[in-house]
Amino acid sequence: MKVMVIGASGTIGCSIVENLKRDHDIIRVGKHRGDLQVDLTDESSVRALFKCSGKVDAVVAATGSVHFGPLTEMTSVQFISGLQDKLMGQVRLVLNGKDYLNPGGSFTLTTGILTQHPIHTGVNATTVNAALEGFVLAAATELADLRIRINAVSPTVLTESLEKYAAFFPGFESVPACRVALAYRRSVDGVDTGKIYPVW
Amino acid sequence: MKVMVIGASGTIGCSIVENLKRDHDIIRVGKHRGDLQVDLTDESSVRALFKCSGKVDAVVAATGSVHFGPLTEMTSVQFISGLQDKLMGQVRLVLNGKDYLNPGGSFTLTTGILTQHPIHTGVNATTVNAALEGFVLAAATELADLRIRINAVSPTVLTESLEKYAAFFPGFESVPACRVALAYRRSVDGVDTGKIYPVW
């Protein structure tokens, strides 16, 4: 299969590529690196990406940032920035990419443990992740008509990122990125649609 | 208690006012009608609302629209319109209104059954409602420090709206608006925070 991995140079992205490249042809996509580049916040950039890639069998998105900060100081502009980046970035990928997926193809998006388990300063993250899980649930019902599947992986904090983020995740068990990559593999090579795979 | 009801002239809003006015002073707010007016998509309008109302004990939002349409034809602009209206409208109300709530006060937002039960053409609605439920879950943990509670009511299709919407909700049991209003009453007068009240 021809699999496009967005965010291919990130910690999770690298592990996904490492796992999938054994059996699939990978198109590595990044904001500045990789085989192709894309800015998911820019509609024309997303369109250009698919015009360049042509038809693919799977699109995996392991990218997107949100706003972290206390709710008491949060502005609407900051809140919207998370919606525009991690939420609309991945939604935009689906809205534009569905016409470039071969029948039987799939999207695999990325949410996160904060959907169900909030942390300090994480209100925007929980909102964005919850929105994406709703999107996957509902979009699956319509994409089925095109013979396209859609799922999401919801990782907890990565073992590789603990040094930087441990203070935000007190008592959370971390998982290595290679374990998270397995969930993307399940989505790409499996039969599920409308599913969220928690990895924690 | 002084209770601000946004969307007070809508079907649900009218029932909320009817229920709460027995025991509380109500400030009816609408886009064009009511004691005060607000456009929740406009930051300065929301600020002006609270400057005008002064301190209140509860804010109830029963308002917000989303984009309905098939995913195959949906544009990012249409998708964003739902985020800006029903999602950011209610988030903006909380971000600005928290400074105008008396200690012990509460926000009660409105989501909907589509969060868990998608319907045809409802991808944007499911996404927006899911986002709001995530927001409530996470915001509750931070608003607790200000002694403010936050919950949401998730109604199914209203009996009063069946004539118009029955075709979108095949086999869904409807509920009368007066039953939905009870859930807002539970949130306003109760002790819960971070809760979603499904009414279906």
Side-chain angles (χ1 to χ4, degrees), chain A residues 12-13 27-28 55 78 84 92 100 107 118 120 128 130-131 140:
Chain A
I12 292 180
I27 306 172
R28 293 169 179 79
K55 294 265 183 177
Q78 290 170 328
Q84 289 289 7
R92 188 174 279 119
Y100 292 88
F107 290 103
H120 284 298
V128 165

Side-chain angles (χ1 to χ4, degrees), chain A residues 5-178:
Chain A
V5 178
I6 327 265
S9 65
T11 311
I12 292 180
C14 279
S15 277
I16 295 169
V17 170
E18 196 58 35
N19 185 306
L20 294 181
K21 77 177 182 187
R22 296 173 213 155
D23 307 295
H24 301 300
D25 295 327
I26 310 294
I27 306 172
R28 293 169 179 79
V29 182
K31 199 162 184 178
H32 305 291
R33 288 184 278 181
D35 305 313
L36 296 173
Q37 284 76 46
V38 71
D39 175 0
L40 292 183
T41 66
D42 177 353
E43 190 81 10
S44 61
S45 176
V46 175
R47 280 191 199 140
L49 170 70
F50 286 109
K51 270 187 192 150
C52 200
S53 73
K55 294 265 183 177
V56 298
D57 299 293
V59 174
V60 173
T63 183
S65 63
V66 295
H67 174 77
F68 282 97
L71 188 69
T72 46
E73 296 165 16
M74 206 175 290
T75 66
S76 299
V77 171
Q78 290 170 328
F79 202 94
I80 288 168
S81 72
L83 300 181
Q84 289 289 7
D85 198 302
K86 185 169 180 179
L87 173 55
M88 275 312 299
Q90 295 190 75
V91 168
R92 188 174 279 119
L93 200 61
V94 174
L95 295 182
N96 288 282
K98 66 187 187 313
D99 303 325
Y100 292 88
L101 270 187
N102 289 320
S106 67
F107 290 103
T108 309
L109 310 185
T110 301
T111 66
I113 192 172
L114 304 192
T115 314
Q116 286 83 22
H117 301 283
I119 59 169
H120 284 298
T121 75
V123 174
N124 186 246
T126 296
T127 307
V128 165
N129 287 342
L132 280 164
E133 297 196 1
F135 177 75
V136 165
L137 175 72
T141 66
E142 297 201 39
L143 291 174
D145 295 340
L146 308 175
R147 290 197 53 222
I148 294 173
R149 297 180 299 107
I150 182 169
N151 300 296
V153 175
S154 173
T156 185
V157 64
L158 299 180
T159 304
E160 289 87 340
S161 312
L162 264 189
E163 201 171 333
K164 202 169 165 191
Y165 297 123
F168 290 97
F169 293 90
F172 285 61
E173 250 184 293
S174 69
V175 292
C178 63

Side-chain angles (χ1 to χ4, degrees), chain A residues 43 71 76 115 126 130-131 134 142, chain B residues 43 71 76 126-127 130 134 137 142:
Chain A
E43 190 81 10
L71 188 69
S76 299
T115 314
T126 296
E142 297 201 39
Chain B
E43 190 82 11
L71 188 69
S76 298
T126 295
T127 307
L137 175 71
E142 296 202 39

Side-chain angles (χ1 to χ4, degrees), chain B residues 3-6 50 56-61 93 97 101 106-109:
Chain B
V3 181
M4 177 187 281
V5 179
I6 326 264
F50 286 109
V56 298
D57 298 294
V59 174
V60 173
L93 200 60
L101 271 187
S106 67
F107 290 103
T108 309
L109 310 185

Side-chain angles (χ1 to χ4, degrees), chain B residues 83-97:
Chain B
L83 300 182
Q84 289 289 7
D85 198 301
K86 185 169 180 179
L87 173 56
M88 274 313 298
Q90 296 190 73
V91 168
R92 188 174 278 119
L93 200 60
V94 173
L95 295 183
N96 287 281

